[in-house]
Amino acid sequence: GYAISLRTRAWIETHFGWLKAAAGMRQVKQRGLTKVEALFQLAMAASNLVRLPKLIAAGAA
């Protein structure tokens, strides 16, 4: 259980690191919870799109 938790935590941290570095969410320009939440969801969707080719290649192999 603990090993799975560590792997999951590392996976989540890489996504948050990508959000800060590439998606520009280190400091958001929007104000308000709904706007920031929408920006976060958009950035996570972009993160998934970046991962998609690698996942497709792994699924084909």
Side-chain angles (χ1 to χ4, degrees):
Y2 185 67
I4 294 171
S5 175
L6 287 178
R7 278 197 314 262
T8 304
R9 187 176 302 145
W11 181 78
I12 290 171
E13 287 298 323
T14 58
H15 285 284
F16 277 107
W18 184 87
L19 286 174
K20 288 180 177 181
M25 287 200 61
R26 186 170 298 277
Q27 183 172 1
V28 295
K29 306 278 192 272
Q30 288 76 21
R31 296 295 176 252
L33 186 58
T34 56
K35 290 180 182 178
V36 173
E37 183 179 2
L39 181 65
F40 177 78
Q41 289 180 355
L42 180 67
M44 286 305 293
S47 172
N48 287 334
L49 288 175
V50 168
R51 293 179 51 230
L52 196 59
K54 183 177 179 182
L55 293 174
I56 291 172

